[in-house]
Amino acid sequence: MPELFIGGQWTTAVDGQVREIRCPADNTLVATVDEAGPKDAAAAIAAAREAFDHGPWPDTPAAERGRLLLRVADLLERDKDALARAESLDTGKRLVESEYDMDDIANCFRYFGNLTAAGGSDRIVDAGSPEVDSRVVHEPVGVCSLITPWNYPLLQTAWKVAPALGAGNTFVLKPSELTPHTAIILMRLLAEAGLPDGAANLILGAGPTAGAPLSEDRRVDLVSFTGGLVTGRRIMAAAAPTVKKVALELGGKNPNIVFADADFEAAVDYALMAIFLHSGQVCSAGARLLVQDDLHDAFVDAVVERARRIPLGGPFDEHARTGPLISAAHRDKVEAYVAAGLAEGAVLRCGGTRPDDPALRDGYYYLPTVLDECTPSMSVVADESFGPVLTVERFRDEEEALTLANGTVYGLAGAVWSQDIGKAQRVANRLRAGTVWINDFHPYVPQAEWGGMKQSGFGRELGPAGLAEYQEAKHVWRNLAPTPQRWFE
């Protein structure tokens, strides 16, 4: 069956290229899918452009657009089991995690459906004269390129597709070439919900071939990308000649700060979840554990003891608590990252190798790893591993904790643990990150904006600002009683 969706039609790649999708848990073949190239990308952009310039979707009333998003939310709930299974096969993620993700995805569409239907973003501006009607209105940006990652394939797609459609845009979606299947299913659900042909377009393929035109083409008005810093820089450069709107979420190296007065058991539990959930393949993972000197030894011992006992397994292994990395190439990168840290003087407390369980031999597994006695000068502290690797740093007091936590080029997320709420709030206020948790880690809601500072990117997803990313503000001034001004008589 063709897997590219262009102009309301399912089609195969022009050049006939295909790609095998293999499950990271055991390297078994999931499916073979079409592999798009520049010609397919150009066709998808043309379809989206035509649909925006001449199709009904941009002029569809906001209330109706919102109702369509709510129908999509219902369809996502109906097909939750099939979607979760498809996501777990592509990513190797535990099925229970994929099921949680599907609930969040439906909630995302429902949030933006209600927000869109409510309207109210336009406003009247006091022009100082009763003879002038002055107002700011919000219009769709146009054709949007949506480029999404492999770690949370449909969740990250929903964060872009729902507000883009809610605002009245058309789009071309390019998911990661490693994890295409839930995006394919979503296109079918959008069509079933009644989205007009051409408003949603899907191409599959690698970034350099299928993705590059989505940033370069002058017919594209906005590029929204979630992924790595290096690729984000390339997208900015590619979009610059045509001065497109760009929104980037580029990951992070997120500090988890634990003061000596923290709730010990809760902080240990969340420190493990912060980094080892989905094998650390989370942009907001708490990969940097900062522990106050007085607590360090006991706290790290407790984290290590529990990390050693985390069972690994595939998506349908009910005993597993974390799974594989996405690919052999990514595991190689994580191994090189750990080797560099040890060479720089980090102390290996656990992990640091592949598991020796024969049942895991065919998958891309790596043991939960803790590197102690790390310092800010180490590359292992500065660079993002995107794997199950926790680095531990010591700090003496509040000021040093902040210096360490903010001493990174990233600024996506962070957390602070203390039973002194005044201290915790002070630290949270000074952390340079787009999301900060106090005595918690990882939760988010679609009503609250998500995004980074510094080299974690710019722009916001979710919340009212997530919708505004896909809108242009226009000031319309209407003179109700025009009379000659006679400037030039």
Side-chain angles (χ1 to χ4, degrees):
M1 178 182 292
E3 290 97 7
L4 309 185
F5 191 62
I6 299 175
Q9 302 296 318
W10 291 99
T11 183
T12 57
V14 170
D15 295 333
Q17 298 297 308
V18 295
R19 175 186 290 269
E20 289 186 345
I21 306 300
R22 293 186 172 273
C23 181
D26 54 14
N27 200 34
T28 55
L29 181 67
V30 176
T32 300
V33 300
D34 289 288
E35 178 89 347
K39 294 176 183 177
D40 304 293
I45 293 168
R49 186 79 261 169
E50 175 68 18
F52 184 81
D53 293 339
H54 304 293
W57 187 247
D59 297 321
T60 299
E64 187 174 336
R65 296 198 304 267
R67 285 194 293 270
L68 183 137
L69 295 181
L70 294 175
R71 288 197 295 275
V72 174
D74 291 341
L75 294 173
L76 288 163
E77 290 180 340
R78 181 196 71 187
D79 294 348
K80 172 182 173 178
D81 291 346
L83 285 159
R85 181 176 178 83
E87 186 117 310
S88 285
L89 287 172
D90 277 2
T91 63
K93 184 185 304 184
R94 296 167 61 226
L95 182 62
V96 65
E97 294 181 37
S98 293
E99 290 171 342
Y100 285 134
D101 292 344
M102 296 309 128
D103 292 336
D104 288 345
I105 291 158
N107 289 339
C108 177
F109 272 91
R110 186 157 284 115
Y111 168 74
F112 281 111
N114 288 321
L115 183 65
T116 299
S121 60
D122 297 347
R123 73 181 193 275
I124 296 173
V125 178
D126 184 0
S129 169
E131 297 180 342
V132 172
D133 177 76
S134 176
R135 62 187 63 217
V136 174
V137 299
H138 292 85
E139 300 178 349
V141 172
V143 174
C144 302
S145 293
L146 311 178
I147 305 173
T148 57
W150 48 257
N151 59 331
Y152 286 89
L154 192 56
L155 183 68
Q156 294 290 343
T157 293
W159 287 14
K160 301 179 191 302
V161 166
L165 289 178
N169 299 283
T170 63
F171 69 81
V172 179
L173 169 66
K174 194 205 84 65
S176 167
E177 64 272 24
L178 302 176
T179 54
H181 283 102
T182 46
I184 295 170
I185 298 172
L186 178 63
M187 294 301 108
R188 297 184 181 128
L189 298 184
L190 291 172
E192 182 180 347
L195 187 68
D197 290 351
N201 301 273
L202 172 70
I203 59 172
L204 311 177
T209 50
L214 302 184
S215 303
E216 299 164 352
D217 197 297
R218 61 179 178 79
R219 295 170 294 178
V220 172
D221 301 296
L222 175 149
V223 182
S224 179
F225 169 77
T226 299
L229 176 58
V230 173
T231 303
R233 288 169 177 161
R234 292 195 190 111
I235 286 173
M236 285 185 69
T242 51
V243 198
K244 306 180 194 308
K245 289 188 72 174
V246 178
L248 302 174
E249 201 264 82
L250 305 178
K253 187 71 175 179
N254 311 290
N256 185 18
I257 305 168
V258 181
F259 284 94
D261 63 351
D263 181 316
F264 187 91
E265 291 300 325
V268 168
D269 187 71
Y270 277 82
L272 291 157
M273 186 180 69
I275 181 57
F276 298 128
L277 184 73
H278 194 18
S279 292
Q281 299 171 121
V282 183
C283 57
S284 56
R288 293 178 63 202
L289 179 62
L290 278 57
V291 187
Q292 196 161 20
D293 270 332
D294 293 347
L295 186 67
H296 173 275
D297 292 354
F299 193 87
V300 177
D301 285 349
V303 168
V304 168
E305 191 274 329
R306 287 183 57 181
R308 286 178 174 147
R309 294 189 281 111
I310 295 174
L312 278 64
F316 310 113
D317 181 348
E318 294 183 356
H319 301 290
R321 289 297 176 267
T322 193
L325 298 175
I326 189 64
S327 67
H330 185 55
R331 183 173 60 184
D332 290 346
K333 291 179 182 178
V334 172
E335 288 176 326
Y337 173 90
V338 172
L342 296 176
E344 292 172 316
V347 176
L348 180 65
R349 294 293 307 273
C350 67
T353 187
R354 304 177 187 187
D356 55 12
D357 184 348
L360 305 178
R361 181 183 54 203
D362 294 330
Y364 310 126
Y365 294 92
Y366 194 77
L367 289 174
T369 298
V370 177
L371 298 177
D372 200 3
E373 305 298 347
C374 296
T375 61
S377 62
M378 296 177 177
S379 62
V380 76
V381 171
D383 299 336
E384 187 180 30
S385 73
F386 220 63
V389 181
L390 180 66
T391 63
V392 184
E393 302 165 71
R394 298 173 180 261
F395 68 88
R396 292 182 298 275
D397 53 27
E398 187 176 325
E399 199 62 35
E400 186 177 22
L402 279 162
T403 298
L404 292 172
N406 287 329
T408 170
V409 299
Y410 295 105
L412 183 60
V416 54
W417 288 82
S418 172
Q419 296 185 76
D420 180 341
I421 191 59
K423 176 170 62 179
Q425 191 64 59
R426 285 195 306 272
V427 173
N429 291 345
R430 293 177 62 190
L431 280 176
R432 295 288 295 162
T435 294
V436 178
W437 298 286
I438 296 176
N439 296 332
D440 210 327
F441 212 102
H442 278 319
Y444 78 95
V445 290
Q447 300 92 330
E449 281 76 2
W450 179 271
M453 300 180 183
K454 300 187 283 186
Q455 292 187 42
S456 284
F458 51 82
R460 288 296 181 266
E461 296 186 295
L462 305 179
L467 181 63
E469 286 289 340
Y470 294 92
Q471 296 175 320
E472 295 278 19
K474 177 187 286 185
H475 179 206
V476 180
W477 175 290
R478 181 187 175 200
N479 189 337
L480 302 175
T483 58
Q485 297 296 296
R486 306 192 185 284
W487 278 93
F488 301 106
E489 290 188 356

